[in-house]
Amino acid sequence: GENVEQHPSTLSVQEGDSAVIKCTYSDSASNYFPWYKQELGKRPQLIIDIRSNVGEKKDQRIAVTLNKTAKHFSLHITETQPEDSAVYFCAASKESGGSYIPTFGRGTSLIVHP
Amino acid sequence: EPEVTQTPSHQVTQMGQEVILRCVPISNHLYFYWYRQILGQKVEFLVSFYNNEISEKSEIFDDQFSVERPDGSNFTLKIRSTKLEDSAMYFCASSDGGPQYFGPGTRLTVT
């Protein structure tokens, strides 16, 4: 089955700095890669996703890049703010029965210091 | 904006008891999922459900687990005989075939 590795497990930055979280996956058939943000005690919330037919996607301060050949994808957050502090999960998935079943990484705890 | 809802928010049960966790998916979604997250760990897929049947399940989803869509709005997860290691946060999610949207979770504590 799919295996997703995520690094780093903890990332501490100063407000205004950039943060980068990296993930690798093992199954070359995976073609959909969502990123979720989970604040303490709350539900995972989708923040951005990318499909395998594109290499990069951006939404305001958040961007995701995908390298299919190397089987890795990354989340970039620019101009970080304290409210960006949360655990971020990457996931890799492929279509199964009309939907996508994600395999999640272990998460990155992002701490943004004011 | 419509959201997935779950009840109860916290369930405490004794080992060996049956529990039913309830979810109301987003109304026009057709795909439903259950995940669990043990404290401090990653989210793990349990089962997906489409067209009134299980479409995929993980190794975690053994004979102690079952899912049901008893009516047009609810989606339930039943654990027949709970074990201590079932203690976790259980998330329901739904999708229309695209991104999945998660509910707020039910924290299950087995004592």
Side-chain angles (χ1 to χ4, degrees):
Chain A
E2 176 66 274
N3 182 46
V4 176
E5 298 288 338
Q6 183 172 348
H7 299 281
S9 57
T10 306
L11 180 58
S12 185
V13 300
Q14 287 297 127
E15 183 176 1
D17 287 350
S18 294
V20 180
I21 302 170
K22 299 183 179 182
C23 290
T24 60
Y25 61 100
S26 60
D27 188 347
S28 56
S30 289
N31 56 4
Y32 174 64
F33 307 90
W35 285 86
Y36 286 87
K37 173 184 180 182
Q38 188 178 28
E39 296 176 17
L40 190 62
K42 301 214 173 155
R43 75 186 81 193
Q45 290 198 300
L46 180 73
I47 55 171
I48 195 167
D49 56 7
I50 190 168
R51 297 185 188 276
S52 59
N53 58 345
V54 299
E56 185 173 356
K57 183 175 177 181
K58 191 172 181 180
D59 183 2
Q60 299 183 331
R61 296 187 295 109
I62 295 172
V64 58
T65 59
L66 171 65
N67 183 326
K68 285 188 296 183
T69 304
K71 294 205 282 287
H72 67 69
F73 56 115
S74 301
L75 178 72
H76 305 250
I77 306 174
T78 58
E79 300 171 33
T80 53
Q81 301 166 2
E83 50 266 38
D84 294 331
S85 297
V87 178
Y88 291 80
F89 291 96
C90 65
S93 56
K94 57 186 176 184
E95 186 179 0
S96 174
S99 71
Y100 294 88
I101 307 299
T103 299
F104 287 86
R106 292 194 172 274
T108 296
S109 178
L110 174 64
I111 303 164
V112 181
H113 300 280
Chain B
E1 184 177 329
E3 287 189 332
V4 177
T5 59
Q6 289 184 244
T7 54
S9 57
H10 192 187
Q11 174 88 49
V12 182
T13 190
Q14 288 190 328
M15 197 166 52
Q17 295 297 304
E18 174 184 287
V19 293
I20 298 176
L21 310 183
R22 303 181 191 280
C23 169
V24 179
I26 294 172
S27 62
N28 63 336
H29 285 182
L30 299 177
Y31 300 89
F32 314 119
Y33 312 84
W34 283 102
Y35 295 86
R36 80 171 186 193
Q37 186 178 33
I38 296 170
L39 188 63
Q41 297 188 23
K42 67 176 178 178
V43 177
E44 298 175 292
F45 168 73
L46 293 178
V47 66
S48 61
F49 192 87
Y50 171 72
N51 200 26
N52 285 320
E53 61 182 25
I54 291 173
S55 48
E56 191 135 350
K57 60 183 181 180
S58 72
E59 292 175 352
I60 303 169
F61 193 86
D62 62 21
D63 292 343
Q64 293 299 310
F65 292 88
S66 62
V67 289
E68 193 177 31
R69 187 155 165 82
D71 53 45
S73 60
N74 289 284
F75 179 51
T76 62
L77 174 70
K78 181 192 290 187
I79 309 174
R80 286 189 185 79
S81 178
T82 51
K83 304 186 285 287
L84 293 176
E85 52 265 39
D86 293 328
S87 295
M89 182 73 93
Y90 288 80
F91 291 104
C92 172
S94 71
S95 83
D96 59 1
Q100 295 181 26
Y101 295 89
F102 283 72
T106 292
R107 180 166 297 285
L108 177 64
T109 302
V110 182
T111 61

